[in-house]
Amino acid sequence: MLVLLPPSEGKAAGGSGAPLKPRTLSLPGLAAARAAVLEELVELCVGDELKAREVLGLSEGLRGEVAKNAELLTAVARPAGEIYTGVLYDALGLSTLAPAAASLAEESLLVFSGLWGAVGVADRIPSYRCSMGVKLPGLGALGAFWREPMASVMPEAAGEGLVLDLRSSAYASAWKPKGEVAGRTATVRVLHSQIVDGVEKRSVVSHFNKATKGRLVRDLLSAGAVPASPPELVTALRDLGFTVEAEAPATSGRAVKPWSLDVVVTQIH
């Protein structure tokens, strides 16, 4: 099982330890692309702060993020699972997983990133600010930049099992599963169900979408569940108490599409 996660906008800073060692990161086939983005991002942030904030979409109050990017080559690196914070990662609670579940997380979780392409949760990276929506002056839009290098490494990373894709649309643009990989890929949408005047109404949630996805991944890891296909994932989630609705995707000619799963919740928290 391979689980694809979005990063968090907010990231933990501080700590102690050695700086980034690019050759230790997962997916070594991305090394050249990572180096190109890192070099341009650092150069941008060392230079004109106003231009850097404009490119990165940062307000005056976030000028400290520019200074942080300028020091990426020497800043303390920590496991990505500690760097990424926010709703999804709070619900996932990597630091509180039992040893077996934590080991499974290291094997199966990949976090997509505008700077790194994708990293494992055990990969040591510095805190940074660079979303997939950024358009760097030299490399262009990062979503488009990453498509070619990601296409060369992700099919192998996906292996032969399930790909559980929990990325937001901006990060999904960097790699879209194709062919037989798409056929064993499942995306998840979280719907809030409530009864209004005796009629069920469903709505897509945002903040709680992230929390539910975090809990969903945590429960799979804690149960040691390693579903090999979307139907097996549906069964595993239902066994864990989730309300899941799914249908096999319709095919269009020879195109293979991922499965779409709806996780229905009656309480949002």
Side-chain angles (χ1 to χ4, degrees):
M1 177 176 69
L2 181 68
V3 182
L4 310 181
L5 299 174
S8 59
E9 188 169 287
K11 299 173 184 68
S16 59
L20 172 71
K21 297 180 180 178
R23 285 181 291 182
T24 66
L25 299 180
S26 301
L27 305 178
L30 299 179
R34 286 172 177 150
V37 179
L38 180 61
E39 179 181 4
E40 182 167 354
L41 181 62
V42 170
E43 182 179 350
L44 172 70
C45 293
V46 167
D48 186 334
E49 181 197 295
L50 185 60
K51 179 181 179 182
R53 285 201 286 112
E54 180 181 347
V55 170
L56 297 174
L58 301 176
S59 65
E60 169 71 22
L62 293 174
R63 62 190 303 175
E65 298 294 284
V66 175
K68 182 166 66 176
N69 282 348
E71 299 176 351
L72 283 173
L73 296 177
T74 57
V76 169
R78 295 164 56 192
E82 297 178 13
I83 292 292
Y84 295 114
T85 60
V87 177
L88 188 152
Y89 290 91
D90 286 346
L92 176 53
L94 287 169
S95 65
T96 61
L97 288 173
S103 178
L104 183 56
E106 292 184 7
E107 296 171 6
S108 57
L109 305 188
L110 273 185
V111 184
F112 271 60
S113 162
L115 174 53
W116 314 112
V119 291
V121 293
D123 289 348
R124 300 182 68 87
I125 58 173
S127 182
Y128 67 97
R129 186 66 170 254
C130 184
S131 73
M132 193 66 80
V134 163
K135 184 177 182 180
L136 291 175
L139 298 178
L142 291 177
F145 169 81
W146 281 111
R147 285 172 197 156
E148 183 176 346
M150 295 302 288
S152 70
V153 303
M154 284 305 299
E156 181 178 354
E160 298 181 355
L162 169 75
V163 178
L164 175 54
D165 189 352
L166 302 179
R167 298 172 296 167
S168 56
S169 58
Y171 290 89
S173 69
W175 180 65
K176 296 184 183 298
K178 296 180 180 179
E180 62 90 18
V181 178
R184 48 187 168 86
T185 297
T187 62
V188 172
R189 181 176 64 165
V190 180
L191 298 178
H192 179 215
S193 171
Q194 52 187 330
I195 305 299
V196 179
D197 296 329
V199 178
E200 182 193 27
K201 293 189 176 182
R202 292 182 176 183
S203 58
V204 177
V205 295
S206 54
H207 176 90
F208 302 102
N209 165 63
K210 297 177 183 178
T212 299
K213 288 179 177 178
R215 286 192 289 270
L216 179 153
V217 174
R218 181 182 178 86
D219 287 356
L220 286 171
L221 295 172
S222 296
V226 188
S229 65
E232 288 186 20
L233 173 65
V234 172
T235 299
L237 291 176
R238 288 174 177 167
D239 288 345
L240 290 168
F242 291 92
T243 300
V244 183
E245 298 177 354
E247 291 184 4
T251 57
S252 176
R254 295 185 178 181
V256 180
K257 297 181 179 180
W259 287 59
S260 295
L261 276 56
D262 285 343
V263 174
V264 183
V265 299
T266 55
Q267 295 181 338
I268 49 179
H269 55 86

